[in-house]
Amino acid sequence: KNVETILHIFTSCEKTQPLWSELSLYIYRKTHERVGFNVSNTIFGEFLYLLIIKSLILLFFMSRFYILACVLQQIAKQLLINLTY
């Protein structure tokens, strides 16, 4: 089993890539601004786009929180399974 790192989860995980794609499309539909997510802005929250408003940044951080919560939920389930055996 591969060890999942924070870098992998937020930047290249096949399970989280659809979230970043959908978030990018959502931002485009609402603002007509193209926003791509890369290592710099998914890990550090750095945005170089001048027209992104605070509510979109909030959506971004909420998405990061959601991903982390899902990962932690999977870890907790695995721990419970291991403890019961």
Coordinates of all heavy atoms in Angstrom, one line a residue:
K1 N 0.8 -1.2 0.0 CA 0.0 0.0 0.0 C 0.9 1.2 0.0 O 1.8 1.3 0.8 CB -0.9 0.0 1.2 CG -1.9 1.1 1.3 CD -2.8 1.0 2.5 CE -3.7 2.2 2.4 NZ -4.7 2.1 3.5
N2 N 0.5 2.2 -0.8 CA 1.3 3.5 -0.9 C 0.9 4.4 0.2 O -0.2 4.4 0.7 CB 1.0 4.2 -2.2 CG 1.5 3.4 -3.4 OD1 2.4 2.6 -3.3 ND2 0.9 3.6 -4.6
V3 N 2.0 5.1 0.7 CA 1.7 6.0 1.8 C 1.3 7.3 1.1 O 1.9 7.8 0.2 CB 3.0 6.3 2.6 CG1 2.8 7.4 3.6 CG2 3.5 5.0 3.3
E4 N 0.2 7.9 1.6 CA -0.3 9.1 1.0 C 0.2 10.3 1.8 O 0.1 10.4 3.0 CB -1.9 9.2 1.1 CG -2.5 8.2 0.2 CD -4.0 8.3 0.1 OE1 -4.6 8.8 1.1 OE2 -4.6 7.9 -0.9
T5 N 0.9 11.2 1.1 CA 1.4 12.4 1.7 C 0.4 13.5 1.5 O -0.5 13.5 0.6 CB 2.8 12.8 1.1 OG1 2.5 13.1 -0.3 CG2 3.8 11.6 1.2
I6 N 0.6 14.6 2.2 CA -0.2 15.8 2.1 C 0.0 16.3 0.6 O -1.0 16.7 0.0 CB 0.2 16.9 3.1 CG1 -0.2 16.4 4.5 CG2 -0.5 18.2 2.8 CD1 -1.7 16.2 4.8
L7 N 1.2 16.3 0.2 CA 1.4 16.8 -1.2 C 0.7 16.0 -2.2 O 0.0 16.5 -3.1 CB 2.9 16.7 -1.5 CG 3.4 17.3 -2.9 CD1 3.1 18.8 -3.0 CD2 4.8 17.0 -3.1
H8 N 0.7 14.7 -2.1 CA 0.0 13.8 -3.0 C -1.5 14.0 -2.9 O -2.2 14.2 -3.9 CB 0.3 12.3 -2.7 CG -0.7 11.4 -3.3 ND1 -0.6 11.1 -4.7 CD2 -1.7 10.7 -2.8 CE1 -1.6 10.2 -5.0 NE2 -2.3 10.0 -3.9
I9 N -2.1 14.1 -1.7 CA -3.5 14.3 -1.5 C -4.0 15.6 -2.1 O -5.0 15.6 -2.8 CB -3.9 14.2 0.0 CG1 -3.7 12.8 0.5 CG2 -5.3 14.6 0.2 CD1 -3.7 12.7 2.0
F10 N -3.3 16.7 -1.9 CA -3.8 18.0 -2.4 C -3.4 18.3 -3.9 O -4.0 19.2 -4.5 CB -3.3 19.1 -1.5 CG -4.0 19.2 -0.2 CD1 -3.3 19.0 1.0 CD2 -5.4 19.3 -0.2 CE1 -4.0 19.1 2.2 CE2 -6.1 19.4 1.0 CZ -5.4 19.3 2.2
T11 N -2.4 17.5 -4.4 CA -2.0 17.9 -5.8 C -2.2 16.9 -6.9 O -2.4 17.2 -8.0 CB -0.5 18.3 -5.8 OG1 0.3 17.2 -5.3 CG2 -0.3 19.5 -4.9
S12 N -2.0 15.6 -6.5 CA -2.0 14.6 -7.6 C -2.8 13.4 -7.4 O -2.9 12.5 -8.2 CB -0.5 14.2 -7.9 OG 0.0 13.6 -6.7
C13 N -3.6 13.3 -6.3 CA -4.4 12.2 -6.0 C -5.6 12.1 -6.9 O -6.3 13.1 -7.2 CB -5.0 12.3 -4.5 SG -6.0 10.9 -4.1
E14 N -5.8 10.9 -7.5 CA -6.9 10.8 -8.5 C -8.2 10.9 -7.9 O -9.2 11.2 -8.6 CB -6.8 9.4 -9.2 CG -7.0 8.2 -8.3 CD -6.8 6.9 -8.9 OE1 -6.0 6.8 -9.9 OE2 -7.4 5.9 -8.5
K15 N -8.3 10.8 -6.6 CA -9.6 10.9 -5.9 C -10.0 12.4 -5.6 O -11.1 12.7 -5.5 CB -9.6 10.2 -4.6 CG -9.6 8.7 -4.8 CD -9.6 7.9 -3.5 CE -9.5 6.4 -3.7 NZ -9.4 5.7 -2.5
T16 N -8.9 13.3 -5.5 CA -9.2 14.7 -5.2 C -9.1 15.5 -6.5 O -9.6 16.7 -6.5 CB -8.2 15.2 -4.2 OG1 -6.9 15.1 -4.7 CG2 -8.4 14.5 -2.9
Q17 N -8.6 15.1 -7.6 CA -8.5 15.8 -8.8 C -9.9 16.3 -9.3 O -10.0 17.4 -9.7 CB -7.7 15.1 -9.9 CG -6.2 15.0 -9.7 CD -5.6 16.4 -9.6 OE1 -5.8 17.2 -10.5 NE2 -4.9 16.6 -8.5
P18 N -10.9 15.4 -9.3 CA -12.2 15.9 -9.7 C -12.7 17.1 -8.9 O -13.4 17.9 -9.4 CB -13.1 14.7 -9.5 CG -12.2 13.5 -9.6 CD -10.9 14.0 -9.0
L19 N -12.4 17.1 -7.6 CA -12.8 18.2 -6.8 C -12.2 19.5 -7.3 O -12.9 20.5 -7.4 CB -12.5 18.0 -5.3 CG -12.8 19.2 -4.4 CD1 -14.3 19.3 -4.2 CD2 -12.1 19.0 -3.1
W20 N -10.9 19.5 -7.5 CA -10.2 20.7 -8.0 C -10.8 21.1 -9.4 O -11.0 22.3 -9.7 CB -8.7 20.5 -8.1 CG -8.1 20.3 -6.8 CD1 -7.3 19.2 -6.4 CD2 -8.2 21.1 -5.6 NE1 -6.9 19.3 -5.1 CE2 -7.5 20.4 -4.6 CE3 -8.9 22.3 -5.3 CZ2 -7.4 21.0 -3.3 CZ3 -8.8 22.8 -4.0 CH2 -8.0 22.1 -3.0
S21 N -11.1 20.2 -10.2 CA -11.6 20.5 -11.6 C -13.0 21.1 -11.4 O -13.3 22.1 -12.1 CB -11.7 19.2 -12.4 OG -10.4 18.7 -12.7
E22 N -13.8 20.5 -10.6 CA -15.2 21.1 -10.4 C -15.1 22.4 -9.8 O -15.9 23.3 -10.1 CB -16.0 20.1 -9.6 CG -16.5 18.9 -10.3 CD -17.4 19.2 -11.5 OE1 -18.3 20.0 -11.4 OE2 -17.1 18.6 -12.6
L23 N -14.2 22.6 -8.8 CA -14.1 24.0 -8.2 C -13.7 25.0 -9.2 O -14.2 26.1 -9.3 CB -13.1 23.9 -7.0 CG -12.9 25.2 -6.2 CD1 -14.3 25.7 -5.7 CD2 -11.9 25.0 -5.1
S24 N -12.7 24.6 -10.1 CA -12.3 25.5 -11.1 C -13.4 25.9 -12.1 O -13.6 27.1 -12.4 CB -11.1 24.9 -11.9 OG -10.6 25.7 -12.9
L25 N -14.2 24.9 -12.5 CA -15.4 25.2 -13.3 C -16.4 26.0 -12.6 O -17.0 26.9 -13.2 CB -16.0 23.9 -13.8 CG -15.3 23.0 -14.8 CD1 -15.9 21.7 -15.0 CD2 -15.2 23.8 -16.1
Y26 N -16.6 25.8 -11.4 CA -17.6 26.6 -10.6 C -17.1 28.1 -10.6 O -17.9 29.0 -10.8 CB -17.7 26.0 -9.2 CG -18.6 26.8 -8.3 CD1 -20.0 26.7 -8.4 CD2 -18.1 27.8 -7.4 CE1 -20.9 27.4 -7.6 CE2 -19.0 28.5 -6.6 CZ -20.3 28.4 -6.7 OH -21.2 29.1 -5.9
I27 N -15.9 28.3 -10.3 CA -15.3 29.7 -10.2 C -15.5 30.3 -11.6 O -15.9 31.5 -11.7 CB -13.9 29.7 -9.8 CG1 -13.8 29.2 -8.3 CG2 -13.2 31.0 -10.0 CD1 -12.4 29.0 -7.8
Y28 N -15.2 29.6 -12.7 CA -15.3 30.1 -14.0 C -16.8 30.5 -14.3 O -17.1 31.6 -14.8 CB -14.8 29.2 -15.1 CG -15.0 29.7 -16.4 CD1 -14.1 30.7 -16.9 CD2 -16.0 29.2 -17.3 CE1 -14.2 31.3 -18.2 CE2 -16.1 29.8 -18.6 CZ -15.3 30.8 -19.0 OH -15.4 31.3 -20.2
R29 N -17.7 29.6 -13.9 CA -19.1 29.9 -14.2 C -19.6 31.1 -13.4 O -20.5 31.8 -13.9 CB -20.0 28.7 -13.9 CG -19.9 27.5 -14.9 CD -20.9 26.5 -14.7 NE -20.8 25.8 -13.4 CZ -20.2 24.6 -13.3 NH1 -19.6 24.0 -14.3 NH2 -20.1 24.0 -12.1
K30 N -19.1 31.3 -12.3 CA -19.6 32.4 -11.4 C -18.9 33.8 -11.7 O -19.4 34.8 -11.6 CB -19.4 32.1 -9.9 CG -20.3 31.0 -9.5 CD -21.7 31.3 -9.6 CE -22.6 30.2 -9.1 NZ -24.0 30.5 -9.3
T31 N -17.6 33.7 -12.2 CA -16.8 34.9 -12.3 C -16.3 35.1 -13.7 O -15.8 36.2 -14.0 CB -15.6 34.9 -11.4 OG1 -14.7 33.9 -11.8 CG2 -16.0 34.7 -9.9
H32 N -16.3 34.1 -14.6 CA -15.7 34.1 -15.9 C -14.2 34.3 -15.9 O -13.6 34.7 -16.8 CB -16.4 35.2 -16.8 CG -17.8 35.0 -17.0 ND1 -18.3 34.0 -17.8 CD2 -18.9 35.6 -16.5 CE1 -19.6 34.0 -17.7 NE2 -20.0 35.0 -16.9
E33 N -13.6 33.9 -14.7 CA -12.2 33.9 -14.6 C -11.7 32.5 -14.6 O -12.2 31.7 -13.9 CB -11.8 34.6 -13.2 CG -12.0 36.1 -13.2 CD -11.1 36.8 -14.2 OE1 -9.9 36.4 -14.3 OE2 -11.5 37.8 -14.8
R34 N -10.7 32.2 -15.3 CA -10.1 30.9 -15.4 C -9.1 30.8 -14.2 O -8.2 31.5 -14.1 CB -9.4 30.6 -16.7 CG -10.4 30.6 -17.8 CD -9.7 30.0 -19.1 NE -10.6 30.1 -20.2 CZ -11.6 29.3 -20.5 NH1 -11.8 28.2 -19.7 NH2 -12.4 29.4 -21.5
V35 N -9.3 29.8 -13.4 CA -8.5 29.6 -12.2 C -8.0 28.1 -12.3 O -8.8 27.2 -12.3 CB -9.3 29.8 -10.9 CG1 -8.4 29.5 -9.7 CG2 -9.8 31.2 -10.8
G36 N -6.7 28.0 -12.4 CA -6.1 26.6 -12.3 C -5.5 26.4 -11.0 O -5.0 27.3 -10.3
F37 N -5.5 25.2 -10.5 CA -4.9 24.8 -9.2 C -3.6 24.1 -9.5 O -3.5 23.1 -10.2 CB -5.9 24.0 -8.4 CG -7.1 24.8 -8.0 CD1 -8.3 24.6 -8.7 CD2 -7.1 25.7 -7.0 CE1 -9.4 25.4 -8.4 CE2 -8.2 26.4 -6.6 CZ -9.4 26.3 -7.3
N38 N -2.6 24.6 -8.8 CA -1.3 23.9 -8.9 C -0.7 23.7 -7.5 O -1.4 24.0 -6.5 CB -0.3 24.8 -9.7 CG -0.2 26.2 -9.2 OD1 -0.2 26.4 -7.9 ND2 -0.1 27.2 -10.0
V39 N 0.5 23.2 -7.4 CA 1.1 22.9 -6.1 C 1.1 24.1 -5.2 O 0.8 24.1 -4.0 CB 2.5 22.3 -6.2 CG1 3.2 22.2 -4.9 CG2 2.5 21.0 -7.0
S40 N 1.5 25.3 -5.7 CA 1.7 26.5 -4.9 C 0.3 26.9 -4.3 O 0.3 27.2 -3.1 CB 2.2 27.6 -5.8 OG 2.3 28.8 -5.0
N41 N -0.7 26.9 -5.1 CA -2.0 27.4 -4.5 C -2.8 26.3 -3.8 O -3.6 26.6 -2.9 CB -2.8 28.2 -5.5 CG -3.2 27.5 -6.7 OD1 -3.3 26.2 -6.7 ND2 -3.4 28.2 -7.8
T42 N -2.6 25.1 -4.1 CA -3.3 24.0 -3.3 C -2.7 23.7 -2.0 O -3.4 23.4 -1.1 CB -3.5 22.7 -4.2 OG1 -2.2 22.3 -4.6 CG2 -4.4 22.9 -5.3
I43 N -1.4 23.8 -1.9 CA -0.7 23.6 -0.7 C -0.6 24.8 0.2 O -0.9 24.8 1.4 CB 0.8 23.0 -0.9 CG1 0.7 21.7 -1.6 CG2 1.5 22.9 0.4 CD1 0.1 20.6 -0.8
F44 N -0.3 26.0 -0.4 CA 0.0 27.2 0.4 C -1.2 28.2 0.3 O -1.2 29.2 1.0 CB 1.3 27.8 0.0 CG 2.5 26.9 0.2 CD1 3.1 26.4 -1.0 CD2 2.9 26.5 1.4 CE1 4.2 25.6 -0.9 CE2 3.9 25.6 1.5 CZ 4.6 25.2 0.4
G45 N -2.1 27.9 -0.5 CA -3.2 28.9 -0.7 C -2.8 30.2 -1.4 O -3.4 31.2 -1.2
E46 N -1.7 30.1 -2.2 CA -1.2 31.3 -2.8 C -2.0 31.5 -4.2 O -1.9 30.7 -5.0 CB 0.3 31.2 -3.1 CG 1.1 31.1 -1.8 CD 2.5 30.9 -2.1 OE1 2.9 30.8 -3.3 OE2 3.3 30.9 -1.2
F47 N -2.6 32.6 -4.3 CA -3.3 33.0 -5.5 C -2.7 34.2 -6.1 O -2.5 35.2 -5.5 CB -4.8 33.2 -5.3 CG -5.6 31.9 -5.0 CD1 -5.8 31.5 -3.7 CD2 -6.1 31.2 -6.1 CE1 -6.5 30.4 -3.5 CE2 -6.8 30.0 -5.9 CZ -7.0 29.6 -4.6
L48 N -2.4 34.1 -7.4 CA -1.8 35.3 -8.1 C -2.9 36.0 -8.9 O -2.6 37.0 -9.6 CB -0.7 34.8 -9.0 CG 0.4 34.1 -8.3 CD1 1.4 33.6 -9.4 CD2 1.1 35.0 -7.3
Y49 N -4.1 35.6 -8.8 CA -5.2 36.2 -9.6 C -5.8 37.4 -8.8 O -6.2 37.2 -7.7 CB -6.3 35.2 -9.9 CG -5.7 34.0 -10.5 CD1 -5.5 32.8 -9.7 CD2 -5.5 33.9 -11.9 CE1 -5.0 31.7 -10.3 CE2 -4.9 32.8 -12.4 CZ -4.7 31.7 -11.7 OH -4.2 30.6 -12.2
L50 N -5.8 38.6 -9.4 CA -6.2 39.8 -8.7 C -7.7 39.8 -8.5 O -8.2 40.5 -7.6 CB -5.7 41.0 -9.4 CG -4.2 41.2 -9.5 CD1 -3.9 42.4 -10.4 CD2 -3.6 41.3 -8.1
L51 N -8.5 39.1 -9.3 CA -9.9 39.3 -9.3 C -10.6 38.2 -8.4 O -11.9 38.2 -8.4 CB -10.5 39.2 -10.8 CG -10.0 40.3 -11.7 CD1 -10.5 40.1 -13.1 CD2 -10.4 41.7 -11.1
I52 N -9.9 37.4 -7.8 CA -10.6 36.4 -6.9 C -11.0 37.0 -5.6 O -10.2 37.6 -4.9 CB -9.6 35.2 -6.6 CG1 -9.4 34.5 -8.0 CG2 -10.2 34.3 -5.6 CD1 -8.4 33.3 -7.8
I53 N -12.2 36.9 -5.3 CA -12.8 37.5 -4.1 C -12.7 36.6 -2.9 O -12.5 35.4 -3.0 CB -14.2 38.0 -4.3 CG1 -15.1 36.9 -4.7 CG2 -14.3 39.1 -5.3 CD1 -16.6 37.2 -4.9
K54 N -12.8 37.1 -1.7 CA -12.7 36.3 -0.5 C -13.6 35.1 -0.4 O -13.2 34.1 0.1 CB -12.9 37.2 0.7 CG -11.8 38.2 0.9 CD -12.0 39.1 2.2 CE -10.9 40.1 2.3 NZ -11.1 41.0 3.5
S55 N -14.8 35.2 -0.9 CA -15.7 34.1 -0.8 C -15.2 32.9 -1.6 O -15.3 31.8 -1.2 CB -17.1 34.5 -1.3 OG -17.1 34.9 -2.6
L56 N -14.5 33.1 -2.8 CA -13.9 32.1 -3.5 C -12.7 31.4 -2.8 O -12.5 30.2 -2.9 CB -13.5 32.6 -4.9 CG -14.7 33.0 -5.8 CD1 -14.1 33.5 -7.1 CD2 -15.6 31.9 -6.0
I57 N -12.0 32.2 -2.1 CA -10.9 31.7 -1.3 C -11.4 30.9 -0.2 O -10.9 29.8 0.1 CB -9.9 32.9 -0.8 CG1 -9.3 33.5 -2.0 CG2 -8.9 32.3 0.2 CD1 -8.5 34.8 -1.7
L58 N -12.5 31.3 0.4 CA -13.2 30.5 1.4 C -13.6 29.1 0.9 O -13.4 28.1 1.5 CB -14.4 31.3 2.0 CG -15.2 30.5 3.0 CD1 -14.4 30.2 4.2 CD2 -16.4 31.3 3.4
L59 N -14.2 29.1 -0.3 CA -14.6 27.9 -1.0 C -13.3 27.0 -1.1 O -13.4 25.7 -0.9 CB -15.2 28.1 -2.3 CG -16.6 28.5 -2.3 CD1 -17.1 28.9 -3.7 CD2 -17.5 27.5 -1.8
F60 N -12.2 27.5 -1.5 CA -11.0 26.8 -1.7 C -10.6 26.2 -0.4 O -10.3 25.0 -0.3 CB -9.9 27.7 -2.2 CG -8.5 27.1 -2.2 CD1 -8.2 26.2 -3.1 CD2 -7.6 27.5 -1.2 CE1 -6.9 25.6 -3.1 CE2 -6.4 26.9 -1.2 CZ -6.0 26.0 -2.1
F61 N -10.6 26.9 0.7 CA -10.1 26.4 2.0 C -11.1 25.4 2.5 O -10.8 24.4 3.2 CB -9.9 27.5 3.0 CG -8.6 28.2 2.8 CD1 -8.5 29.4 2.3 CD2 -7.4 27.5 3.1 CE1 -7.3 30.1 2.0 CE2 -6.2 28.2 2.9 CZ -6.1 29.4 2.4
M62 N -12.4 25.6 2.2 CA -13.4 24.6 2.6 C -13.2 23.3 1.9 O -13.3 22.2 2.4 CB -14.8 25.1 2.3 CG -15.2 26.2 3.3 SD -16.8 27.0 2.8 CE -17.9 25.7 2.9
S63 N -12.8 23.4 0.6 CA -12.5 22.2 -0.2 C -11.3 21.4 0.4 O -11.3 20.2 0.5 CB -12.2 22.5 -1.6 OG -13.3 23.1 -2.2
R64 N -10.3 22.2 0.8 CA -9.1 21.5 1.4 C -9.5 20.8 2.7 O -9.1 19.7 3.0 CB -8.0 22.6 1.7 CG -7.2 22.9 0.5 CD -6.1 23.9 0.7 NE -5.5 23.8 2.0 CZ -4.4 24.6 2.3 NH1 -3.9 25.4 1.4 NH2 -3.9 24.5 3.5
F65 N -10.4 21.5 3.5 CA -10.8 20.9 4.8 C -11.6 19.6 4.5 O -11.4 18.6 5.2 CB -11.7 21.9 5.5 CG -12.3 21.3 6.8 CD1 -11.6 21.2 7.9 CD2 -13.6 20.9 6.8 CE1 -12.1 20.6 9.1 CE2 -14.2 20.3 7.9 CZ -13.4 20.2 9.1
Y66 N -12.5 19.6 3.5 CA -13.3 18.5 3.1 C -12.4 17.3 2.7 O -12.6 16.2 3.2 CB -14.2 18.8 1.9 CG -15.0 17.6 1.4 CD1 -16.1 17.2 2.1 CD2 -14.6 17.0 0.3 CE1 -16.8 16.1 1.7 CE2 -15.3 15.9 -0.2 CZ -16.4 15.5 0.5 OH -17.1 14.4 0.1
I67 N -11.3 17.6 1.9 CA -10.4 16.5 1.5 C -9.7 15.9 2.8 O -9.7 14.7 2.9 CB -9.4 17.0 0.5 CG1 -10.0 17.3 -0.8 CG2 -8.2 16.0 0.4 CD1 -9.1 18.1 -1.7
L68 N -9.2 16.8 3.6 CA -8.6 16.3 4.8 C -9.5 15.5 5.7 O -9.1 14.5 6.3 CB -7.9 17.5 5.6 CG -7.0 17.2 6.7 CD1 -5.8 16.3 6.2 CD2 -6.4 18.4 7.3
A69 N -10.7 16.0 5.9 CA -11.7 15.3 6.7 C -12.0 13.9 6.1 O -12.1 12.9 6.9 CB -13.0 16.1 6.8
C70 N -12.1 13.8 4.8 CA -12.3 12.5 4.2 C -11.1 11.5 4.5 O -11.3 10.3 4.8 CB -12.5 12.6 2.7 SG -14.1 13.3 2.3
V71 N -9.9 12.0 4.3 CA -8.7 11.2 4.6 C -8.7 10.8 6.0 O -8.5 9.6 6.3 CB -7.5 12.0 4.2 CG1 -6.2 11.3 4.7 CG2 -7.4 12.2 2.7
L72 N -9.0 11.7 7.0 CA -9.0 11.4 8.4 C -10.1 10.3 8.7 O -9.9 9.5 9.6 CB -9.1 12.6 9.2 CG -7.9 13.5 9.2 CD1 -8.2 14.8 10.0 CD2 -6.6 12.9 9.7
Q73 N -11.2 10.5 8.0 CA -12.3 9.5 8.3 C -11.8 8.1 7.8 O -12.1 7.1 8.5 CB -13.5 9.9 7.5 CG -14.7 9.0 7.7 CD -15.9 9.5 7.0 OE1 -15.8 10.2 5.9 NE2 -17.1 9.2 7.4
Q74 N -11.1 8.0 6.7 CA -10.6 6.7 6.3 C -9.6 6.1 7.2 O -9.6 4.9 7.5 CB -10.0 6.8 4.9 CG -11.0 7.1 3.8 CD -12.0 5.9 3.7 OE1 -11.7 4.8 3.9 NE2 -13.3 6.3 3.3
I75 N -8.8 7.0 7.8 CA -7.7 6.6 8.7 C -8.4 6.1 10.0 O -8.1 5.0 10.6 CB -6.8 7.7 9.1 CG1 -5.9 8.0 7.8 CG2 -5.9 7.4 10.3 CD1 -5.0 9.2 7.9
A76 N -9.5 6.8 10.5 CA -10.2 6.4 11.7 C -10.9 5.1 11.5 O -10.8 4.2 12.4 CB -11.2 7.5 12.0
K77 N -11.5 4.9 10.3 CA -12.1 3.6 10.0 C -11.1 2.4 10.1 O -11.4 1.4 10.6 CB -12.8 3.6 8.7 CG -14.1 4.4 8.6 CD -14.7 4.3 7.2 CE -15.9 5.2 7.1 NZ -16.4 5.2 5.7
Q78 N -10.0 2.7 9.5 CA -8.9 1.6 9.4 C -8.4 1.3 10.9 O -8.2 0.2 11.2 CB -7.7 2.1 8.5 CG -6.8 1.0 8.3 CD -7.4 -0.2 7.6 OE1 -8.2 -0.1 6.6 NE2 -7.1 -1.4 8.0
L79 N -8.3 2.4 11.7 CA -7.9 2.2 13.1 C -8.9 1.3 13.8 O -8.5 0.4 14.6 CB -7.6 3.5 13.8 CG -6.3 4.2 13.4 CD1 -6.3 5.6 14.1 CD2 -5.1 3.4 13.8
L80 N -10.2 1.6 13.6 CA -11.2 0.9 14.3 C -11.2 -0.6 13.9 O -11.4 -1.5 14.7 CB -12.6 1.5 14.1 CG -12.8 2.8 14.8 CD1 -14.2 3.4 14.3 CD2 -12.9 2.6 16.3
I81 N -11.0 -0.8 12.6 CA -10.9 -2.2 12.1 C -9.8 -2.9 12.7 O -9.9 -4.0 13.1 CB -10.8 -2.2 10.5 CG1 -12.2 -1.7 9.9 CG2 -10.4 -3.5 10.0 CD1 -12.1 -1.4 8.4
N82 N -8.6 -2.2 12.8 CA -7.4 -2.8 13.3 C -7.6 -3.1 14.8 O -7.1 -4.1 15.3 CB -6.2 -2.0 13.1 CG -5.8 -2.0 11.6 OD1 -6.1 -2.8 10.9 ND2 -5.0 -0.9 11.3
L83 N -8.3 -2.2 15.5 CA -8.5 -2.4 17.0 C -9.4 -3.6 17.3 O -9.4 -4.2 18.4 CB -9.0 -1.1 17.6 CG -8.0 0.0 17.7 CD1 -8.6 1.3 18.2 CD2 -6.8 -0.4 18.6
T84 N -10.4 -3.8 16.4 CA -11.3 -4.9 16.7 C -10.8 -6.3 16.4 O -11.4 -7.3 16.8 CB -12.6 -4.7 15.8 OG1 -12.3 -4.7 14.4 CG2 -13.3 -3.4 16.2
Y85 N -9.6 -6.4 15.7 CA -9.0 -7.7 15.4 C -7.9 -8.0 16.4 O -7.2 -7.6 17.0 CB -8.5 -7.8 14.0 CG -9.7 -7.8 13.0 CD1 -9.9 -6.7 12.2 CD2 -10.5 -8.8 12.9 CE1 -10.9 -6.7 11.3 CE2 -11.6 -8.9 12.0 CZ -11.8 -7.8 11.2 OH -12.8 -7.8 10.3

